[in-house]
Amino acid sequence: MLQIQPGSRTSRQLHLRISFLIPFVLLLASSGCHDQNHVQPPRQAQDPLPSWNDTAPKKNIIAFVERVTKEGGPDFVAVADRIATFDNDGTLWLEYPMYTQIDFAIDRVRQMAPQHPEWKKTQPFRGILDGDMKAVMATGGKGFDQILTATGAGMTSADFEKMVTDWLAQARDKRFNHPYTELTYQPMIELLAYLRANGVKTFIVSGGEIGFMRPWTEKAYGIPPGQVVGSTMKTQFATKNDGPVILRLPQVSFIDDGPGKPVGIDTFIGKRPIAAFGNSDGDQQMLEWTAAGSGPRFMLLVHHTDAQREYAYDRNSSVGRLDKALDEANAKGWTVVSMKDDWKKIFAFQ
C-alpha cells in the first residue's frame, strides 16, 4: 500500500485531484439513477425497404431473407449459394414506350444516316428517318437486330463503352425529362441493397446487350460489370497501332432473353439462383429455372399498373408484354408487385 504523509506535497496534489473528480463522480451517479428510473425504449430497426408499402410483396421479401439467413434454421442457405438474378428493362429501370437501348440506337441511326443513303429506302432504317415508329415496330426482333448491329459494330469495345457513357450523360426521357439513369425504380434499388446486406450476390440477367449495360450498372445499381449477363455481339481480338483491342462485329452471338436466360445463367454464373426478379414473358423461363431448384426459392414479377406515376401495360403490349408469365405466377403463387398498390414511390425524384 502506498503510504502518504499528511501535509506533504504529494498529499496536497492528491487532495486537489480528488476534489477535481468529485463533481464528475456525482454527475455519473445521478445519471445512472436517472437511467434506472426512466428506461429508454429499444431503438426500432430501420426499415430496409422504405419505398415499399406494407403489403404482401414486402412481407414476402423480408420473410424469405430472414429464412435463408437464419443459421441453424431449416431453410438456411450458405452465403456462397445466395444468388439473385434481376432482369433490367422494366424490372430495374424504365422500358416503356421504347427500350432505352433502342432509343440510343435510333439516335445513332440518325447520326450515321448521311454515310448510308441506302437507309432511306430500307426498313427499319427508313421508318426511323421518317419518324414512323409503327413501321419500325412492325419489323420485330429481326429489325431490332439490324438496328443494333448497324449502330454498335465496326468499333472497339472501349469506343462503344465511351459512346454509351457520353450518350447517357446528355440524353433525356421525353416524358419525365430526366436522364435515363435517374429512371431506375427506387424500391428495386432498396431491394438490391437489402439483399446484398444479407449476403446475397446480385446479378443482372437481361435481354439488353451486355456492352450497353456494363458501363453504368455499377453506379446505378451497385452491380459491377462482371455480374452483368446479357445478349452479346460477336467480337474478336485484334492488334492495332496503339495495342491490342476487342472489335465488335456486325453479328449477334447470343440472345439472353426467354429460354436464353437460364442458358446465360448456367454459362456465365454457373449456379442456379435462389431468387429471380422480372417483369415480362421474356423472364418467365428464368423464374421457372429458379423455382425448379431445391430448397427455398423466391420468384417475383413487377407488374406495371401505374399510368399516373409511370405506365400501365401488360398482356397486349409490344414492349415488356406480361401475359403467360403472369398466369403462371398467379397459378404457382409467385409474388406479383403492383407498382400502383405496393410502391410508395417509383422514381427517387417523386
Side-chain angles (χ1 to χ4, degrees):
M1 178 180 290
L2 177 65
Q3 299 293 323
I4 300 175
Q5 296 297 324
S8 68
R9 180 179 179 183
T10 302
S11 175
R12 290 194 299 273
Q13 288 177 338
L14 181 61
H15 175 75
L16 288 173
R17 290 177 183 177
I18 292 174
S19 299
F20 179 75
L21 289 173
I22 286 174
F24 291 97
V25 174
L26 293 175
L27 178 62
L28 289 173
S30 63
S31 63
C33 294
H34 177 78
D35 285 342
Q36 293 174 5
N37 296 328
H38 300 83
V39 178
Q40 297 295 321
R43 181 177 295 179
Q44 296 296 319
Q46 186 175 2
D47 185 353
L49 303 173
S51 295
W52 294 67
N53 287 322
D54 291 324
T55 51
K58 178 178 180 177
K59 295 175 182 177
N60 292 347
I61 291 167
I62 293 175
F64 175 77
V65 170
E66 289 178 348
R67 284 166 51 207
V68 300
T69 58
K70 184 178 181 180
E71 293 192 33
D75 292 325
F76 177 75
V77 175
V79 172
D81 296 321
R82 294 178 199 168
I83 292 172
T85 56
F86 288 77
D87 170 56
N88 182 47
D89 296 311
T91 300
L92 296 178
W93 78 343
L94 187 77
E95 70 174 355
Y96 199 90
M98 184 65 69
Y99 300 113
T100 304
Q101 187 171 357
I102 298 298
D103 282 338
F104 163 75
I106 287 172
D107 280 356
R108 285 277 294 149
V109 167
R110 291 171 178 150
Q111 292 170 3
M112 297 169 64
Q115 288 78 46
H116 295 274
E118 73 278 8
W119 285 355
K120 294 181 180 180
K121 299 180 180 180
T122 308
Q123 294 291 6
F125 306 102
R126 178 180 174 179
I128 292 173
L129 298 176
D130 292 342
D132 185 0
M133 293 311 298
K134 287 185 178 180
V136 176
M137 297 295 288
T139 63
K142 182 179 179 181
F144 289 142
D145 286 346
Q146 288 179 297
I147 295 169
L148 295 177
T149 54
T151 59
M155 66 190 77
T156 68
S157 57
D159 287 341
F160 185 73
E161 177 178 338
K162 183 179 185 305
M163 190 180 300
V164 171
T165 302
D166 291 346
W167 183 81
L168 286 171
Q170 56 82 31
R172 298 290 187 276
D173 173 77
K174 292 179 177 64
R175 175 180 172 184
F176 298 102
N177 195 30
H178 275 261
Y180 288 94
T181 49
E182 291 182 8
L183 296 175
T184 56
Y185 301 140
Q186 180 61 26
M188 299 302 285
I189 300 298
E190 295 168 2
L191 174 57
L192 287 167
Y194 176 53
L195 292 175
R196 288 194 290 265
N198 284 277
V200 180
K201 193 172 185 178
T202 54
F203 289 81
I204 287 176
V205 179
S206 171
E209 204 264 312
I210 201 167
F212 180 79
M213 294 184 290
R214 282 180 169 174
W216 54 270
T217 58
E218 186 161 21
K219 184 177 180 180
Y221 306 133
I223 297 179
Q227 290 167 221
V228 177
V229 179
S231 299
T232 55
M233 301 282 287
K234 189 173 182 179
T235 57
Q236 71 176 24
F237 174 84
T239 302
K240 291 191 172 184
N241 293 335
D242 54 351
V245 297
I246 300 297
L247 292 176
R248 292 168 58 90
L249 304 180
Q251 182 179 344
V252 176
S253 62
F254 175 65
I255 298 177
D256 189 50
D257 196 37
K261 289 199 172 187
V263 174
I265 291 170
D266 186 63
T267 303
F268 299 108
I269 300 176
K271 283 188 176 183
R272 194 191 305 251
I274 63 170
F277 304 81
N279 78 292
S280 73
D281 286 356
D283 304 311
Q284 186 173 0
Q285 288 84 359
M286 178 173 70
L287 272 66
E288 290 173 343
W289 174 247
T290 301
S294 60
R297 302 280 142 176
F298 189 83
M299 289 65 61
L300 182 147
L301 285 172
V302 175
H303 192 186
H304 293 260
T305 56
D306 198 324
Q308 182 176 356
R309 296 185 297 175
E310 200 235 17
Y311 294 99
Y313 59 95
D314 46 35
R315 297 184 186 274
N316 298 316
S317 176
S318 59
V319 173
R321 176 178 289 127
L322 179 60
D323 184 19
K324 294 179 181 179
L326 183 59
D327 290 338
E328 184 169 6
N330 291 330
K332 294 184 176 179
W334 298 348
T335 297
V336 178
V337 170
S338 165
M339 281 187 163
K340 183 178 180 180
D341 298 329
D342 298 320
W343 286 356
K344 295 178 182 178
K345 65 167 66 175
I346 293 178
F347 305 116
F349 57 81
Q350 289 177 329

